[in-house]
Amino acid sequence: MIPLSDENPSVRPPVMTVLILAAMAAVWAIVEGAGFGDRMVRAICNLGLVPGELTGLAPIGSAVPIGPGLYCAVDAQLANWASPVVSLFLHGGWGHLIGNALFLWVFGNNVEDVMGAERFLAFYLLCGVAAAALHVLVDPSSPVPTVGASGAISGVMGAYLVCFPRVRVRMFFWFVLFYRVVAVPAWAVLGWWFVFQVLM
């Protein structure tokens, strides 16, 4: 299922939503090399959120495989403390980036419309950092780097559901040769999002 749009037009232009999407795209292209070569893997290793680095519970120098012949080693750099925010703008592939971008575009513009641009940005970052903190609490010694805006976008979708519980979202369904666009209640899309995140 792919969200296409909702039945809830926004009043103001979604300036902050567009800026966040542009930042995600710029980081993907410039920092991660658009997934080509090993730049993406190195960016994930160096800039991703590693719970064990923040808690000090992963031994310094312990390494996990992150690509063919590449390993990500736990370190104690001061920059690690910025990873809960920086990692929100990194992605693990084209599908990861496009999926997050679609959900943010469909749901973010209306939430920004309600909150205003500055409050929306603060809310977005707060949701992302809260998701990162929960991840660290669940597995505090993990040496595995994590990236993506899924936590922040989950918060945006939760806010959307609170503000617009009855709005329907046009979703694109496909199965082999069968495809169709169907209007689905926002709560069902939110449920699908969480299931998809768990499966991923």
Side-chain angles (χ1 to χ4, degrees):
M1 294 193 311
I2 300 173
L4 299 177
S5 63
D6 61 6
E7 298 174 346
N8 188 24
S10 54
V11 177
R12 294 176 285 192
V15 175
M16 193 56 67
T17 302
V18 170
L19 287 175
I20 292 170
L21 289 167
M24 286 170 31
V27 168
W28 173 247
I30 297 167
V31 177
E32 297 188 83
F36 298 108
D38 63 358
R39 283 177 59 190
M40 179 185 77
V41 173
R42 292 184 186 281
I44 289 172
C45 181
N46 295 326
L47 303 172
L49 169 69
V50 179
E53 287 181 340
L54 295 179
T55 63
L57 296 176
I60 301 295
S62 61
V64 293
I66 195 168
L70 296 172
Y71 293 85
C72 187
V74 173
D75 59 43
Q77 295 181 15
L78 190 59
N80 293 342
W81 289 101
S83 66
V85 173
V86 174
S87 64
L88 295 176
F89 297 92
L90 297 168
H91 289 84
W94 280 102
H96 190 201
L97 174 70
I98 292 169
N100 276 345
L102 273 171
F103 276 88
L104 179 59
W105 175 251
V106 170
F107 297 99
N109 60 356
N110 293 117
V111 176
E112 180 182 346
D113 207 20
V114 171
M115 293 183 174
E118 295 82 9
R119 285 177 57 205
F120 176 72
L121 176 61
F123 177 76
Y124 180 85
L125 294 175
L126 180 65
C127 289
V129 170
L134 180 61
H135 177 61
V136 172
L137 284 172
V138 168
D139 197 358
S141 62
S142 173
V144 179
T146 56
V147 295
S150 300
I153 295 169
S154 294
V156 169
M157 291 179 66
Y160 184 96
L161 190 59
V162 169
C163 295
F164 311 105
R166 293 183 172 81
V167 170
R168 297 175 75 79
V169 179
R170 287 184 283 280
M171 300 288 287
F172 178 73
F173 289 86
W174 83 95
F175 181 74
V176 189
L177 297 176
F178 171 80
Y179 62 90
R180 172 171 277 171
V181 175
V182 180
V184 177
W187 60 264
V189 177
L190 185 64
W192 161 248
W193 168 261
F194 284 115
V195 168
F196 181 72
Q197 296 305 310
V198 169
L199 292 175
M200 292 300 287

